[in-house]
Amino acid sequence: MMGVQEAPARLFYDFDLEAHVPAGHLLREIDRFLDVCAIRQQLAPHYSHLGRPSIDPELIVRMLVIGYVLGIRSERRLCDEVHLNLAYRWFCRLGIDGKVPDHSTFSKYRHGKFRDSDLLRSVFEATVARCISEGLVGGHGFAVDASLVEADVDRMNSTAQADWDVSGIDPDDAPRAVREYLDVLDDKAFGASTPVKPKFTSHSDPASQWTAARKGPAIFAYSNNYLIDTDHSVIVDVEATRSIRQAEVGAAQTMIDRTEDRFSIKPDWLVADTAYGSAENLAWLTKRRGIIPFIPLVDKGERTDGTFSRSDFEWDEDNDRYTCPEGQHLLQSRRNYSDPRRKEPKTGRRRYRATKAICDACPSKSKCCPNTNTRFIGREEHEDARDLARLAAQSPFNPKAQAKRKKVEMLFAHLKRILGLGRLRLRGPCGVQDEFTLAAIAQNLRKLAKLRPKTHETTVAI
């Protein structure tokens, strides 16, 4: 006999929301690790003791976490999904008949109380602390990298840099993103990272960077900077910058310092790509922080035409000179000054040169300097830090370190393809930082749910 589905009207229903959420649901696993206990206490100074009760800020945070964990980019759609989905209602503590906030409420909280109290940063650090307590952060090796994320602007709504006049902007009449741009002009992560000005400036989001780094059509973009622990790819810090190499290197230093300050963790070694291989950054890592850099160098001293390369010359630190393969010395200066400081270069770069007479009589001149009278070698101010990076690149551990660096790139691929953050929705430095922070929270929570599931704990207990 064929059955017929019927839904008879009933006056009372016995409904248990807890029973309708599967035991292995992703949100049920994430709920165990999301620490929002301190939200109300942190936001208490931003509320008045009079008036109507506000929407619970914990509800807003939980809804944002759902949106970023599950890749729901639209806040209108997020509100509809929370209204309809029982698992989302359970995660947000709404019950079966709780009212879902309007989508406009998110803007009020993010541009107001959340930003003034730096709440999202606190939630992110609480998530990192949970990863540390769960044993997912070893703290021995870190990897750092940056990825371009397209800004929410129209490329045609821009002005050439020659026609862009900051002094003519009235902050009182400017949009929020423009006001934030004016506030960060002296910040190294944005306006002060380099004196070079971009070719074009966006009207709606002037802090975004005009760049063609994707090897395609130029776009306005920001850089998402991740510092991760290489053991389980946990994001220990995140920073938003303009898409400029100097800003990304500065963000790496900021994140390393902040991680040590917040969690008392300093890595033994750091792996990154060639963008982080400047002499100044290597000196900062090795001399000031005591970190071994597994960073490839752009070394123009190595030759491929059969002549002697820079590495064929031996450096003598005690006597401040190079020794060529024939045993001759390359000196910075052959004059004796009464004041030794006159020998020091003003730019920080030094040149070591052999005399013409020595080079003309040398039997290896055709292999050393066939097209010049003498051979010279330039030495950077922090060449000793570059030498340490060269030694690290020759160590047996370097291939493993370079393989671990790809874990950062995998996180960026997951961010854009799975979580849907291929293009930003918010504008301005603060809005972009909020988006990147929420995305890092979502990725760490998913990592916790995957590596420390409750079902595994139950199996071990049995």
Side-chain angles (χ1 to χ4, degrees):
M1 178 179 177
M2 181 182 296
V4 178
Q5 180 69 30
E6 296 182 357
R10 297 170 58 184
L11 184 60
F12 300 102
Y13 288 88
D14 183 12
F15 186 85
D16 184 8
L17 183 60
E18 178 77 22
H20 281 72
V21 181
H25 196 279
L26 177 61
L27 291 181
R28 188 180 284 277
E29 297 286 355
I30 286 176
D31 184 64
R32 299 168 44 234
F33 303 107
L34 180 61
D35 185 6
V36 290
C37 299
I39 285 181
R40 297 184 182 87
Q41 181 180 358
Q42 186 172 351
L43 293 180
H46 299 272
Y47 287 90
S48 172
H49 64 284
L50 301 175
R52 296 183 302 170
S54 70
I55 296 175
D56 190 351
E58 180 180 337
L59 171 60
I60 302 298
V61 171
R62 287 182 173 275
M63 290 182 66
L64 286 172
V65 168
I66 290 176
Y68 281 83
V69 166
L70 300 175
I72 304 176
R73 302 291 297 136
S74 170
E75 289 166 1
R76 291 176 183 266
R77 183 189 162 203
L78 175 61
C79 293
D80 293 338
E81 293 290 338
V82 173
H83 177 71
L84 295 172
N85 194 298
L86 294 178
Y88 297 173
R89 282 185 166 273
W90 173 87
F91 184 79
C92 294
R93 310 294 192 263
L94 282 172
I96 192 64
D97 55 355
K99 184 179 179 181
V100 178
D102 187 76
H103 65 87
S104 62
T105 307
F106 291 97
S107 298
K108 295 294 184 182
Y109 271 85
R110 279 192 303 210
H111 297 305
K113 298 179 177 63
F114 284 6
R115 191 160 296 166
D116 295 338
S117 63
D118 207 15
L119 178 67
L120 297 180
R121 166 60 63 172
S122 300
V123 176
F124 169 75
E125 291 178 355
T127 306
V128 175
R130 185 61 185 270
C131 292
I132 295 173
S133 65
E134 293 289 336
L136 300 183
V137 177
H140 301 293
F142 282 0
V144 65
D145 204 355
S147 180
L148 294 182
V149 181
E150 187 174 358
D152 184 31
V153 298
D154 184 4
R155 291 191 299 170
M156 303 304 296
N157 185 23
S158 60
T159 298
Q161 183 59 38
D163 302 328
W164 178 257
D165 184 14
V166 178
S167 60
I169 301 177
D170 185 4
D172 297 332
D173 297 334
R176 179 185 292 108
V178 178
R179 294 198 303 269
E180 293 178 3
Y181 161 75
L182 297 175
D183 292 338
V184 298
L185 283 177
D186 297 329
D187 193 337
K188 289 185 178 181
F190 295 96
S193 55
T194 174
V196 179
K197 301 299 181 183
K199 187 175 180 180
F200 294 98
T201 301
S202 171
H203 295 165
S204 55
D205 192 359
S208 60
Q209 177 72 25
W210 177 261
T211 177
R214 285 183 174 178
K215 308 301 181 182
I219 59 173
F220 287 103
Y222 285 91
S223 285
N224 185 13
N225 298 268
Y226 275 176
L227 180 68
I228 73 164
D229 182 85
T230 56
D231 284 359
H232 295 93
S233 303
V234 172
I235 304 169
V236 294
D237 208 344
V238 56
E239 187 74 10
T241 63
R242 298 185 78 173
S243 300
I244 305 174
R245 181 183 61 82
Q246 294 87 342
E248 295 170 358
V249 172
Q253 297 178 3
T254 299
M255 291 188 293
I256 291 173
D257 285 341
R258 189 162 51 198
T259 301
E260 183 176 8
D261 180 60
R262 297 290 194 275
F263 307 109
S264 300
I265 295 177
K266 188 189 74 171
D268 299 326
W269 51 269
L270 177 75
V271 58
D273 58 24
T274 54
Y276 300 85
S278 64
E280 293 77 9
N281 186 48
L282 293 174
W284 184 87
L285 289 171
T286 57
K287 298 177 183 179
R288 296 184 55 185
R289 311 302 294 149
I291 300 173
I292 302 174
F294 289 95
I295 303 175
L297 300 180
V298 178
D299 205 340
K300 297 181 180 180
E302 299 302 311
R303 298 183 176 182
T304 58
D305 57 357
T307 59
F308 292 147
S309 298
R310 178 199 184 95
S311 58
D312 295 323
F313 291 77
E314 183 180 353
W315 168 246
D316 186 354
E317 179 71 29
D318 296 333
N319 296 310
D320 188 25
R321 66 189 182 187
Y322 279 97
T323 303
C324 74
E326 293 292 339
Q328 301 296 333
H329 302 312
L330 283 71
L331 304 179
Q332 179 186 356
S333 173
R334 298 180 183 274
R335 295 180 59 183
N336 294 323
Y337 293 97
S338 58
D339 185 3
R341 290 178 297 179
R342 294 184 61 185
K343 231 180 190 183
E344 298 178 1
K346 296 181 180 179
T347 60
R349 178 181 172 84
R350 295 171 289 178
R351 276 192 170 192
Y352 294 82
R353 187 187 302 269
T355 63
K356 183 176 182 300
I358 292 177
C359 289
D360 287 341
C362 181
S364 301
K365 187 178 189 305
S366 60
K367 292 184 178 181
C368 185
C369 52
N371 301 322
T372 59
N373 293 327
T374 61
R375 178 64 185 264
F376 73 87
I377 295 179
R379 184 174 181 84
E380 300 290 341
E381 181 180 1
H382 302 294
E383 194 65 33
D384 51 348
R386 289 169 56 87
D387 290 338
L388 180 58
R390 293 187 184 99
L391 290 176
Q394 298 172 2
S395 68
F397 182 72
N398 184 59
K400 296 181 181 179
Q402 297 302 324
K404 291 177 180 292
R405 183 181 64 84
K406 297 180 180 179
K407 293 184 177 183
V408 194
E409 300 174 358
M410 294 173 63
L411 284 172
F412 287 136
H414 179 270
L415 175 71
K416 296 176 181 179
R417 297 187 60 185
I418 306 302
L419 303 188
L421 194 60
R423 181 185 174 97
L424 294 162
R425 294 191 65 254
L426 303 182
R427 296 174 178 173
C430 295
V432 173
Q433 182 65 53
D434 288 351
E435 284 221 68
F436 291 162
T437 303
L438 281 166
I441 293 172
Q443 289 184 291
N444 280 346
L445 288 174
R446 290 175 67 108
K447 181 72 65 176
L448 282 164
K450 178 182 178 180
L451 299 181
R452 296 293 185 269
K454 188 175 182 180
T455 53
H456 174 73
E457 294 180 356
T458 304
T459 304
V460 172
I462 292 176

